[in-house]
Amino acid sequence: MSGRLTPRRPEPAPRPLRRAGRPRVRRLRGAALGTALATLLVPALGACAGGDAAASGGGATLKWTSSYFPTHWDPVVGGSGAQFRELALVYASLTRIDENGDAVPDLAESWEYNDEGDQVTFHLRSGLKFSDGEPVDATAVKAAVERAKEQKNSALFGDLTSIESVEAEGLDAVVHLNQVDYQIPQLLGQRVLQIASPEAAKSPEELDQNPVGAGPFIVTQLVPGTKAVLKKNPAYWDAKNIHIDNVELTSAPDAATVVSGLQTGVYNFADIDPSQADAAKKAGLDVFVQPGFNASNISLNVNKAPFDDDKVVDAVRYAVDRQEFVDKLTFGYGEATDQPFPKGYVAYDPESENTYPYDPAKAKKLLAQAGYRAGELKLDLVVPAEDPQAEIVQSQLGKVGITVDIKIDKNWATPFFAKDLTFSLYSTTGRDSAVQTLTAHFGPDGPLNLSSPYEPKGFEAAVAKVRETPLDAPEYTETLRAATRAGLESRALVFTYSSPNLIAKSKSVSDLPKNPAHIDWTGVTISGGN
């Protein structure tokens, strides 16, 4: 499945492609993405300064407290949700994402497609090893893909449906596809294929507690759910540009205490809730927006009453005031969206904008046409924890005559993924491949599609056309937006708002690369000492 849900708390005909004569990297349309990022970034990240860099073992220590501390350290199980940023400390991938949102080399130094577009060969760097001494080669890539497709508790198998098989030829991993798909370099990056040592992965349960990768750091101590201690991996392929010696990763306490922890030096880096941003700024901390693809939505199961009635679905659509979500939840950092992308992103479709504007009078009329008197329709909104989004939904639907009872189910993921719920909501962190985002939400097997196997008419063909289009083709943007347009015909999702990722850090931690959705430690320094 693609990308675990991240509910917020108070918080086709082949298109030929010439074989590359030199190493080539298939790129996302950077200029289009840049438009989106420009609207999300705040001006300056704090400059290097003396401060609270730790000195564990005599080196520069990153003290990161995270509200997304990994539940699982096996990347096949936990690597596709927001926790992938933390797992990326340990695991490297075939590709990674740069500041333009483009796929660039990581463990693979280059790749190329065949002329038909149904096979892509990744050329791995030579001489690399996992932290247990096992070689990083094509056999390891093959094992990683097969495990992600076949392991019973894999969260990734739904993302790999285009991959038929992987052929290992020394340092060349030949990926055979069952359809033309130029999205693969975007897909097999830091979210969907963080590669573990195949020897360690023979016991997934053991790997989950003792992660073994080829990333920039090595875990030396792990207290499940609470703390991880890591040291720099001298065998990492880009170790010369990793200037952090140690990492202390902890599970974030209550959001209100994070800023004080940053002030006192307990931490020097933290992801924060928008409600804490002003306090962090006033405390003299660097607060910046990490651009991302986040979007929140209300999820409806059209296979169950009352949402099997189009009039009820449309009533909910018209009852939603997106701006209220922005005003109450994002503290000026978010924006309304009726799509699974922020405005300005290459996949955002301007033609589909505001198709269902806020119109409570129309919502009431539709409910009456569906046979419901005011207050007669009662719904259970099932969420995993207390969530201000749920309260806003409850209030807005109440205004049009729908009574909403909020039900908290800590095991919510089980019925959601089993498609047993009728009415829910969630937020996601987006995907590096826009097609992956679309299929996750609108596809018949999409993990974020509560109405599976329902999909909107024409969506499958529209997505297939995107896959067949090289990312640098002139027609790529319009083809992608047409697929978004087709997906938005779905009656199963009502999108509400988008909010970027907020980071607060001590001034001792230097600027980070502004890679969308990713945290990249390349070139980052920590000055000063305890």
Side-chain angles (χ1 to χ4, degrees), residues 247-290:
V247 178
E248 297 172 3
L249 177 68
T250 57
S251 179
D254 181 81
T257 67
V258 170
V259 171
S260 62
L262 288 163
Q263 281 182 286
T264 58
V266 176
Y267 322 117
N268 54 20
F269 190 89
D271 47 271
I272 60 171
D273 187 270
S275 63
Q276 299 300 308
D278 284 348
K281 289 178 180 179
K282 291 176 181 178
L285 299 166
D286 284 339
V287 176
F288 62 96
V289 174
Q290 180 203 39

Side-chain angles (χ1 to χ4, degrees), residues 12-16 179-182 461 463-470:
R15 179 183 179 86
Q179 58 184 317
V180 177
D181 192 348
Y182 289 110
V463 166
K465 190 172 181 179
V466 181
R467 295 187 192 276
E468 297 163 10
T469 306

Side-chain angles (χ1 to χ4, degrees), residues 99-117:
E99 294 186 13
N100 293 320
D102 298 335
V104 296
D106 196 14
L107 294 179
E109 61 184 358
S110 64
W111 55 87
E112 73 270 345
Y113 276 88
N114 65 355
D115 293 335
E116 292 74 25

